[in-house]
Amino acid sequence: FPLPPWSFPNARVLYQPTFVPVKAARAVTPTTSNQNNEGGGGLTLLSLFGYTLGGLFLVEWTHSPIGPYREVAVLSGLVVRDFSIGAWASHIVVTSPEAVESGRDLFGLPTVLGSIDFGDDDEDDNVDDDINEWYAEGLVVGETMGKWIINRAEDIAITLKYAAGTAVPGIAEPAEILNRRPYSSSPKSSTRDKGFVWNGDTAIRVNGWNGWKPLPETTKNEDGFSNAGDTNTSGGISLPSFSGRLNSRSASDSTTTGKKTPLLRYPLRLVSARSLRLRPALTTKFASNVIVREDLRAVLDGPRACPCIQVDGVMVVAGKPVEIAC
């Protein structure tokens, strides 16, 4: 494989942020306090109110040094080391053997071979669909908040009636209790079947990710991607990324040695993008009668954040990893 930096022109990216419980994040992230990692990990997990920021990072690499492939990275948390903040990918599924090997050997990433299928091929990129989804999402949020406010007002009325003696707990309950409907803090998603469906640890289907905005013919080169900045690898936004701490393998027979590879840091740069959209949040579901690893499921079960981010035609540059002393 060619040595980094690697350039990925015309990449198609979707990021769905989620809030990952700290306990689940620490189980798969090499933090200094994680006893499951030999010698600790050297990273500090950033959290608030018992959660850290993670998510699902879906990419279709249309051009790369090893050819086209798809990738789903499970981000288990936001970490910091030496004043650099980055995300930690605890699980990564890719769709080509070359991506597995290069990801592990060159970038220290936990890549495994799997399948990533998209929804119907005839899905159109319709802005009206986004508007309808945002409207439905707003209705769900508004209905949830409205029920919560009504219930809190009823609680106050109940307390006042008990204090005034016009109602007796368990004997003469006030109408607010007798007529109250059950309140659910987790209403049915407004995005219906749109989201990630896990059919196992390495089999993922993505529904509702609309087709890409068509690229104007006047901006295409002979390779099929844009001439307008797609081949420029300078500038852009640099995102520090951490990797490594994989099970070390013997060079002779590829068996595990029981040791961990070094902690790495490498720059991930987003140079240019053809379009960027904020989309309503996508759900994460598990197919029935399918077993998913417990540590993976614990990370994926966190509440989703809104919005998710879709970027079309972006140039991504992965720099050379540097070893970090733990």
Side-chain angles (χ1 to χ4, degrees), residues 22-263:
V22 167
K23 182 179 180 180
R26 283 180 177 160
V28 294
T29 306
T31 62
T32 52
S33 61
N34 190 344
Q35 300 302 317
N36 294 328
N37 289 278
E38 173 195 348
L43 299 174
T44 299
L45 188 68
L46 298 179
S47 63
L48 184 65
F49 302 125
Y51 289 91
T52 183
L53 181 63
L56 286 165
F57 189 73
L58 168 65
V59 191
E60 184 172 19
W61 303 112
T62 59
H63 297 77
S64 83
I66 55 173
Y69 66 97
R70 294 172 179 176
E71 174 180 341
V72 170
V74 178
L75 307 181
S76 61
L78 201 61
V79 294
V80 62
R81 172 64 188 259
D82 298 335
F83 304 104
S84 293
I85 298 177
W88 182 261
S90 58
H91 308 78
I92 299 180
V93 178
V94 292
T95 57
S96 81
E98 294 81 7
V100 174
E101 188 175 350
S102 60
R104 300 184 73 91
D105 294 347
L106 295 182
F107 295 99
L109 297 170
T111 46
V112 296
L113 186 64
S115 63
I116 302 171
D117 298 322
F118 293 156
D120 296 337
D121 294 334
D122 59 354
E123 286 181 342
D124 295 325
D125 185 41
N126 192 336
V127 176
D128 289 338
D129 289 342
D130 276 358
I131 295 174
N132 292 334
E133 289 174 18
W134 276 116
Y135 178 72
E137 191 82 9
L139 289 180
V140 170
V141 174
E143 181 181 2
T144 302
M145 292 182 63
K147 288 181 179 178
W148 186 88
I149 292 172
I150 290 173
N151 283 356
R152 298 296 75 76
E154 290 178 346
D155 288 342
I156 295 173
I158 293 168
T159 302
L160 293 175
K161 288 184 178 181
Y162 285 157
T166 58
V168 180
I171 300 177
E173 295 287 4
E176 287 82 0
I177 289 182
L178 298 176
N179 298 329
R180 174 173 290 182
R181 295 182 180 180
Y183 166 72
S184 172
S185 60
S186 302
K188 186 177 180 180
S189 170
S190 65
T191 53
R192 298 174 300 279
D193 296 328
K194 296 189 175 183
F196 298 83
V197 180
W198 291 76
N199 297 299
D201 293 344
T202 59
I204 305 138
R205 181 175 177 83
V206 184
N207 297 323
W209 190 16
N210 289 350
W212 307 104
K213 291 185 175 181
L215 188 64
E217 293 294 333
T218 55
T219 65
K220 290 182 181 179
N221 61 23
E222 60 182 5
D223 293 323
F225 56 85
S226 172
N227 291 313
D230 274 347
T231 57
N232 175 24
T233 60
S234 62
I237 301 174
S238 182
L239 305 174
S241 298
F242 298 96
S243 61
R245 306 301 292 164
L246 305 175
N247 291 323
S248 181
R249 296 181 180 272
S250 171
S252 58
D253 57 8
S254 297
T255 59
T256 58
T257 64
K259 297 183 178 180
K260 296 287 187 179
T261 60
L263 181 67

Side-chain angles (χ1 to χ4, degrees), residues 270-293:
L270 278 62
V271 177
S272 62
R274 182 156 43 86
S275 69
L276 183 150
R277 281 193 291 169
L278 301 180
R279 305 286 303 278
L282 300 181
T283 60
T284 298
K285 300 180 180 179
F286 303 94
S288 59
N289 302 322
V290 167
I291 298 176
V292 176
R293 284 176 49 181

